[in-house]
Amino acid sequence: NDPLWNSYPYDAANTSKTETVGKTGCGPTTMATIATNLLGKAILPPVLCDWSNKNGHRDPNGADGTRPSFFTDCAKKYGLRTAIINISSDNPLTSDHFTLIDQVLRANSLVAASVNSNSPYTNGGHYIMIYKIENGKVYIKDPVKSNNDLAPRAVSDWVNGKWVKRFIRVGK
């Protein structure tokens, strides 16, 4: 929601209205935050929104926002590595996922999480960054600035609420 790029277009090709970074750009904004932190140089959301559209990672119908492939391909562009963990009936969300994420974070990587509409962070699909797990609490940075004011939530809240669709580890 930064006023510098909140109204910058991040439009789905087959929709009738122009969508913006502030409404639909959580994926590129989360990746910009992750890449900036890992690489120590500014990578801005509008640059990644344009790149996402140019490379087919924006759902043209607007329903699914940014495709998970965006993170993998964008990471390659910047010399970073990714690993995706999809949550499903075959791989249900457990506290073990957060133990693994904690290890990944301690190894100087960051994690994007695709959260569901039943999470406290969105009423639709949404990407956020997990940057720390401490004392059983999950700390996030969210492209929606007001969500950064929410208190860290317990791992058990995340697991019991089934808030996550996938985790994307990004590291050097």
Side-chain angles (χ1 to χ4, degrees):
N1 296 107
D2 191 306
L4 291 173
W5 49 72
N6 185 45
S7 60
Y8 191 86
Y10 185 50
D11 199 22
N14 299 335
T15 59
S16 59
K17 65 178 186 162
T18 300
E19 298 163 311
T20 64
V21 172
K23 296 289 183 191
T24 63
C26 59
T29 302
T30 295
M31 186 61 181
T33 303
I34 289 171
T36 294
N37 278 281
L38 291 174
L39 299 173
K41 65 180 182 178
I43 298 168
L44 301 179
V47 171
L48 295 189
C49 286
D50 288 346
W51 187 86
S52 175
N53 270 330
K54 180 181 174 188
N55 290 282
H57 297 293
R58 174 73 167 104
D59 170 26
N61 298 316
D64 293 325
T66 304
R67 294 182 170 129
S69 60
F70 163 77
F71 289 88
T72 303
D73 290 353
C74 187
K76 285 179 192 171
K77 170 182 169 56
Y78 288 101
L80 299 169
R81 297 177 301 141
T82 58
I84 296 177
I85 300 170
N86 289 306
I87 305 302
S88 66
S89 58
D90 294 335
N91 184 28
L93 186 64
T94 69
S95 60
D96 291 342
H97 287 104
F98 290 92
T99 300
L100 176 62
I101 289 169
D102 184 43
Q103 292 168 356
V104 162
L105 295 172
R106 291 175 191 273
N108 297 317
S109 291
L110 293 167
V111 174
S114 175
V115 294
N116 296 315
S117 60
N118 61 329
S119 78
Y121 308 108
T122 186
N123 58 5
H126 188 52
Y127 287 102
I128 60 175
M129 179 181 81
I130 298 174
Y131 70 93
K132 178 170 71 171
I133 297 177
E134 184 175 82
N135 297 323
K137 303 254 186 211
V138 179
Y139 292 77
I140 61 112
K141 288 291 180 193
D142 193 312
V144 177
K145 187 177 178 184
S146 60
N147 284 347
N148 292 319
D149 297 332
L150 298 173
R153 302 296 291 258
V155 166
S156 60
D157 292 339
W158 286 72
V159 172
N160 294 336
K162 299 179 179 144
W163 292 349
V164 180
K165 285 191 242 187
R166 76 186 48 83
F167 296 107
I168 305 160
R169 173 202 175 269
V170 183
K172 291 183 179 180

